[in-house]
Amino acid sequence: MTDLVLNETRDEVAVLTLNRPEKLNALNYALIDRLLAILDEIEVDGSVRAVILTGAGERAFSAGGDIHEFSASVALGSDVAMRDFVMRGQRLTARLEAFRKPIIAAVNGIAFGGGCEITEAVPLAIASDRALFAKPEINLAMPPTFGGTQRLPRLAGRKRALELLLTGDWFPPPRALELGLVNEVVPHAELMPAAFDLARRMLRHSQPAIASILTAVARGLNQSIAEGLLVEAEQFARMAPTTDLREGLDAWIERRKPGFDGSWTHIARPEEARRASSALDHGDTSNRPFMLGWKRQK
């Protein structure tokens, strides 16, 4: 049986490929379930620090939901369609949006319907100059169901999003860039190198810090600024006792490149950490061996 989602890890980056090229990588139920299962595995895999999501073949990232399968669910009633299609798709986009490792969509072709909604949900996206985007659900006499009525207005603004949602018109990569749907548009041959370059630029930093930023943005974006600031403070509080933050501060003070632990390991003796930090602030490095002792736990 053909793998519906290909999974290959290169240099701490998992490349996930939607693999139904003969169906323009349409999102049938089995593919969505498989992608969710792989994300669960990657989340706890310490050897993977970022994800690139793309589509198989030369034509499509994903043409959206599998209409034949969805139509069969609708024929069985709204409860079945809600359970099998709507809730499954919303589970996927919510998972992508809240994932605590960076996910980069490498949009290599058509991104219609659910494919566009995946692009809206992931934290980062790069589009090939051959990509094409659309919100065509209106042509089927239905609204988007994987989050498109909520995320696109937040990205593009209410009026610009409604134009796309209510007309179903396709739009090219430069328009997607203007709307904030993608971060960059590159020549088709440069798509995957550009995605890996973006991943590498993030992977030089502390993994817990990256997770904290992703969480703060995902949780705080749709709250009031006051509530969002509480989320931000909460994420800082989680980082404050970690060896990575101590290492980052020490490296900056000592004008050297940091060597992050990459885990949520905490400093074992906070009172000693405070004394060492104070000594550094006053230029006292006589206790240097002691400071190295608490800086990083192996």
Side-chain angles (χ1 to χ4, degrees), residues 46-65:
S47 69
V48 174
R49 297 183 57 201
V51 178
I52 295 173
L53 180 61
T54 193
E58 292 296 318
R59 298 176 60 195
F61 175 69
S62 173

Side-chain angles (χ1 to χ4, degrees), residues 231-250:
V231 174
E232 182 176 272
E234 173 191 284
Q235 292 304 308
F236 168 76
R238 291 195 69 198
M239 285 300 302
T242 63
T243 55
D244 269 10
L245 178 55
R246 189 66 262 162
E247 169 66 7
L249 293 170
D250 285 355

Side-chain angles (χ1 to χ4, degrees), residues 131-192:
L132 204 60
F133 302 85
K135 311 293 295 183
E137 293 88 348
I138 190 70
N139 297 319
L140 302 175
M142 59 177 276
T145 57
F146 291 6
T149 63
Q150 302 305 303
R151 292 189 180 91
L152 187 60
R154 286 166 167 79
L155 286 167
R158 175 171 170 260
K159 287 182 170 58
R160 295 195 294 182
L162 279 170
E163 178 186 350
L164 300 172
L165 291 163
L166 296 176
T167 64
D169 292 344
W170 62 266
F171 53 101
R175 178 68 167 157
L177 181 63
E178 175 195 346
L179 295 173
L181 188 58
V182 301
N183 297 85
E184 186 180 4
V185 178
V186 299
H188 186 73
E190 298 175 16
L191 178 61
M192 293 305 290

Side-chain angles (χ1 to χ4, degrees), residues 3-201:
D3 289 335
L4 293 172
V5 181
L6 304 179
N7 181 6
E8 178 189 0
T9 299
R10 309 178 209 163
D11 301 324
E12 299 184 292
V13 179
V15 179
L16 306 184
T17 306
L18 309 178
N19 191 34
R20 298 184 73 205
E22 74 287 352
K23 299 292 184 181
L24 299 180
N25 301 318
L27 305 169
N28 66 358
Y29 300 160
L31 187 152
I32 293 174
D33 291 347
R34 181 59 184 145
L35 181 53
L36 283 166
I38 291 174
L39 290 172
D40 286 345
E41 295 168 5
I42 287 173
E43 187 171 50
V44 296
D45 185 347
S47 69
V48 174
R49 297 183 57 201
V51 178
I52 295 173
L53 180 61
T54 193
E58 292 296 318
R59 298 176 60 195
F61 175 69
S62 173
D66 188 307
I67 301 303
H68 293 287
E69 194 173 49
F70 170 54
S71 178
S73 294
V74 170
L76 295 174
S78 61
D79 288 346
V80 173
M82 283 289 294
R83 180 196 67 203
D84 291 351
F85 183 71
V86 178
M87 302 312 295
R88 182 182 262 109
Q90 289 188 358
R91 212 162 40 242
L92 173 62
T93 52
R95 188 79 169 99
L96 294 168
E97 185 174 51
F99 204 65
R100 285 174 63 80
K101 296 179 182 181
I103 300 178
I104 304 165
V107 186
N108 57 306
I110 292 171
F112 287 2
C116 193
E117 286 168 306
I118 285 175
T119 309
E120 295 159 16
V122 295
L124 300 157
I126 298 176
S128 156
D129 56 6
R130 296 184 192 173
L132 204 60
F133 302 85
K135 311 293 295 183
E137 293 88 348
I138 190 70
N139 297 319
L140 302 175
M142 59 177 276
T145 57
F146 291 6
T149 63
Q150 302 305 303
R151 292 189 180 91
L152 187 60
R154 286 166 167 79
L155 286 167
R158 175 171 170 260
K159 287 182 170 58
R160 295 195 294 182
L162 279 170
E163 178 186 350
L164 300 172
L165 291 163
L166 296 176
T167 64
D169 292 344
W170 62 266
F171 53 101
R175 178 68 167 157
L177 181 63
E178 175 195 346
L179 295 173
L181 188 58
V182 301
N183 297 85
E184 186 180 4
V185 178
V186 299
H188 186 73
E190 298 175 16
L191 178 61
M192 293 305 290
F196 270 99
D197 178 67
L198 179 56
R200 280 191 292 269
R201 284 155 51 202

